């Protein structure tokens, strides 16, 4: 339990440093709902979600009031939906609409898990499912989708990489009235984790229990504030300060997670202590990096500082809880971080630098707006690069890009809310189409052979 001093420190973090529990996410296994018809499967999935998650919003509100810690998002994640739709190829959107209705009925902000795991190969029903994603995201509001196309153990499914470039383009086109917003709800993974509480990549892994509560805490502002108090300190002192701050954040998050699990009759899963920024001033990962000594994020030294930040956050978290999981690190979504937005606008950060930063942080090229006329094969090339970093380094990497229809470099797009706004970033004009069109599978690295 938290002692009196920790409670006072937590109150201070909430009031002055933007500390919050970013999300309580309930994972629900829906395999018991599978039937031969789309309509019956959709009905049973809707009923189970509404039954299991009917109190998640109320419990989150009650806990926020009782402990004085804002709980920003309430979410649901489900069994990867491609496993639910194998018997009704071509009618997957029936399930998507039911999932979206369920999310609205229970009042959650987002529902994740319209997902497929195709890291080694694709069945015909999985291809059909993936091809349904653009329509599914265009007719739903709260549903998120993800596709895992590679792992360190299996290599990279380049046929899936090629397909996802095309799917992202189609999703942007079918949601062009909203500047391609559907792509903000679609992420492509290497080494996707089964207990991620953050959207758009959350799904309920098949190795998880029936119903599980995972909590994502977030405190970029808390870390930034702590570093302001030690100006001029050595880097080992900086790392120690970040570690101690992460410890405090994780302790508070675990308290909320365990109590939420008890009240909702679910298993306690993990605490994800990812530093997830928002467009609000004072809640930026980029500003943490700049506090350590950069004129602007994106300059030389950025990747080194980010590596130290990620490592210190993880060390502090595992000291505080034996159940740290999810992604747990630092997110660098361009449109969702005021410091990243400004760096992109000034030209201080590029896609090449974002790719380099991916090697040491969580996720990767995230919430990046690119020109609407970017070829699908170029998007697939971006995905392939990120997947390779994840595969070789045995870590999770991801791509969430938005090709904004009818817009180009020098323009910007406003997504609103936590999704923020983003300048359109320049992509390489050089084609990689011949590489992407080869298809096949990129073999797993030698270090995958550990049996």
């Amino acid at each position: 339990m938290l002692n009196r001093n920790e409670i006072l420190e937590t109150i201070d973090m909430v009031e002055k440093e933007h500390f919050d529990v970013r999300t309580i996410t309930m994972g629900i296994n829906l395999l018991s709902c599978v039937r031969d018809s789309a309509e019956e499967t959709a009905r049973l999935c809707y009923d189970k979600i509404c039954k299991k998650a009917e109190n998640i919003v109320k419990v989150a509100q009650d806990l926020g009031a009782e402990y004085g810690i804002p709980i920003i998002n309430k979410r649901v994640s489900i069994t990867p939906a491609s496993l639910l739709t194998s018997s009704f190829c071509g009618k997957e959107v029936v399930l998507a609409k039911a999932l979206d209705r369920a999310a609205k009925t229970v009042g959650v902000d987002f529902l994740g898990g319209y997902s497929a795991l195709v890291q080694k190969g694709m069945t015909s029903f999985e291809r059909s499912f993936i091809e349904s994603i653009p329509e599914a995201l265009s007719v739903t509001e709260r549903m998120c989708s993800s596709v895992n196309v590679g792992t360190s153990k299996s290599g990279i499914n380049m046929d899936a990489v090629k397909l996802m470039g095309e799917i992202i383009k189609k999703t942007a086109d079918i949601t062009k009235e909203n500047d391609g917003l559907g792509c903000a709800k679609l992420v492509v993974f290497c080494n996707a984790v089964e207990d991620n509480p953050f959207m758009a990549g959350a799904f309920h892994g098949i190795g998880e229990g029936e119903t599980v509560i995972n909590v994502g805490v977030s405190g970029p502002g808390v870390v930034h504030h702590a570093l302001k108090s030690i100006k001029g300190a050595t880097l080992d002192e900086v790392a120690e300060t970040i570690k101690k701050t992460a410890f405090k954040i994780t302790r508070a998050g675990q308290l909320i997670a365990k109590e939420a699990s008890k009240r909702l009759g679910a298993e306690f899963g993990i605490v994800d202590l990812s530093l997830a920024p928002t467009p609000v001033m004072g809640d930026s990962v980029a500003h943490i990096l700049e506090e350590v000594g950069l004129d602007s994020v994106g300059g030389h030294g950025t990747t080194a500082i980010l590596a130290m930040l990620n490592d210190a956050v993880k060390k502090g978290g595992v000291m505080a809880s034996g159940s740290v999981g999810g992604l747990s690190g630092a997110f660098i979504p361009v449109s969702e971080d005021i410091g990243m937005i400004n760096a992109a606008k000034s030209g201080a950060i590029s896609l090449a630098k974002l790719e380099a930063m991916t090697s040491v942080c969580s996720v990767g090229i995230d919430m990046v707006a690119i020109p609407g006329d970017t070829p699908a094969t170029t998007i697939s090339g971006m995905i392939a690069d990120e997947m390779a970093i994840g595969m070789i380094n045995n870590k999770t990497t991801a791509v969430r890009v938005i090709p904004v229809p009818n817009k180009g470099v020098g323009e910007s797009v406003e997504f609103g809310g936590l999704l923020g706004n983003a300048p359109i970033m320049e992509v390489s004009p050089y084609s990689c189409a011949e590489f992407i069109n080869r298809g096949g599978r990129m073999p797993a690295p030698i270090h995958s052979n550990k049996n």
Side-chain angles (χ1 to χ4, degrees):
M1 292 295 291
L2 296 175
N3 62 37
R4 183 176 181 275
N5 287 337
E6 288 175 322
I7 291 170
L8 292 175
E9 285 181 337
T10 301
I11 292 171
D12 207 43
M13 289 191 295
V14 170
E15 291 182 345
K16 299 177 182 178
E17 301 159 20
H18 301 283
F19 173 63
D20 56 55
V21 170
R22 188 56 49 87
T23 180
I24 286 181
T25 302
M26 174 180 281
I28 304 173
N29 188 307
L30 296 181
L31 288 174
S32 63
C33 301
V34 175
R35 298 294 185 273
D36 288 338
S37 75
E39 292 75 14
E40 182 68 2
T41 300
R43 182 184 67 80
L44 292 173
C45 287
Y46 173 88
D47 289 345
K48 187 168 185 178
I49 292 168
C50 291
K51 180 179 179 181
K52 295 289 186 180
E54 64 177 337
N55 293 320
I56 187 170
V57 173
K58 182 180 185 303
V59 166
Q61 291 172 341
D62 290 347
L63 288 173
E66 290 173 27
Y67 290 98
I69 301 174
I71 299 174
I72 306 302
N73 293 297
K74 284 71 66 177
R75 297 165 174 169
V76 165
S77 64
I78 63 162
T79 305
S82 68
L83 302 178
L84 310 176
T85 64
S86 61
S87 62
F88 47 88
C89 292
K91 299 185 70 176
E92 294 90 351
V93 174
V94 173
L95 175 63
K97 291 178 178 178
L99 296 175
D100 199 53
R101 287 198 307 273
K104 292 175 181 176
T105 298
V106 299
V108 293
D109 305 280
F110 287 109
L111 181 146
Y114 197 78
S115 306
L117 310 179
V118 292
Q119 55 267 17
K120 197 170 184 180
M122 271 187 295
T123 64
S124 58
F125 73 80
E126 285 166 331
R127 177 176 284 273
S128 174
F129 175 85
I130 291 172
E131 290 174 344
S132 77
I133 289 174
E135 182 185 357
L137 291 177
S138 72
V139 299
T140 58
E141 296 176 13
R142 305 188 189 190
M143 193 187 72
C144 295
S145 180
S146 63
V147 179
N148 192 71
V149 300
T151 68
S152 296
K153 196 75 173 174
S154 301
I156 302 171
N157 182 347
M158 291 302 295
D159 292 324
V161 169
K162 178 184 177 182
L163 179 59
M164 288 312 300
E166 297 165 359
I167 293 298
I168 289 169
K169 285 284 287 186
K170 289 178 182 177
T171 302
D173 184 63
I174 204 170
T175 60
K176 61 185 176 183
E177 292 184 2
N178 294 315
D179 290 323
L181 183 61
C183 295
K185 299 185 291 178
L186 173 60
V187 58
V188 185
F189 275 120
C190 179
N191 291 322
V193 297
E194 296 188 326
D195 54 8
N196 173 19
F198 286 99
M199 301 297 169
F203 63 87
H204 187 65
I206 58 174
E208 297 287 307
E210 182 77 10
T211 310
V212 178
I213 294 295
N214 298 316
V215 164
V217 296
S218 184
V222 181
V223 173
H224 189 195
H225 182 84
L227 294 182
K228 281 184 175 181
S229 68
I230 57 164
K231 288 185 181 295
T234 62
L235 290 178
D236 49 321
E237 292 172 320
V238 169
E240 186 67 17
T241 298
I242 296 170
K243 185 173 72 174
K244 289 178 179 178
T245 305
F247 177 88
K248 296 173 187 176
I249 292 170
T250 307
R251 290 267 285 182
Q254 178 164 280
L255 176 65
I256 295 291
K258 285 190 170 181
E259 190 60 31
S261 303
K262 186 190 307 180
R263 297 187 189 188
L264 290 166
E267 296 178 33
F268 164 48
I270 57 91
V271 177
D272 185 320
L273 51 128
S274 295
L275 299 180
T278 70
V280 175
M281 185 62 71
D283 201 26
S284 164
V285 170
H287 288 165
I288 295 173
L289 307 183
E290 291 167 358
E291 183 64 35
V292 179
L294 301 174
D295 280 348
S296 173
V297 65
H300 296 299
T302 296
T303 305
I305 298 172
L306 183 59
M308 179 183 65
L309 171 65
N310 243 37
D311 181 65
V313 165
K314 292 176 189 291
K315 286 174 177 173
V318 298
M319 287 172 60
S321 171
S323 300
V324 170
L327 297 172
S328 288
F331 291 163
I332 51 171
V334 172
S335 79
E336 298 175 7
D337 184 313
I338 187 63
M340 296 291 286
I341 293 168
N342 291 335
K345 286 180 178 178
S346 70
I349 198 161
S350 65
L351 281 170
K353 189 60 179 179
L354 285 171
E355 184 180 316
M357 293 166 71
T358 300
S359 65
V360 298
C361 80
S362 299
V363 186
I365 294 179
D366 190 20
M367 284 303 291
V368 173
I370 59 176
D373 61 359
T374 303
T377 50
T378 297
I379 296 172
S380 294
M382 295 167 62
I383 294 170
D385 286 340
E386 285 293 304
M387 301 302 101
I389 290 172
M391 176 183 71
I392 294 296
N393 291 289
N394 198 30
K395 67 186 292 295
T396 303
T397 52
V399 172
R400 186 166 46 148
V401 293
I402 303 98
V404 183
N406 304 315
K407 288 193 176 183
V409 176
E411 298 181 89
S412 62
V413 59
E414 178 69 48
F415 296 119
L418 290 177
L419 297 178
N421 66 87
I424 310 296
M425 298 185 71
E426 183 178 7
V427 303
S428 173
Y430 300 102
S431 174
C432 60
E434 184 178 350
F435 161 56
I436 295 301
N437 288 330
R438 285 177 181 269
R441 181 164 64 93
M442 190 174 291
I446 186 65
H447 61 64
S448 68
N449 189 12
K450 294 181 178 179
N451 291 333

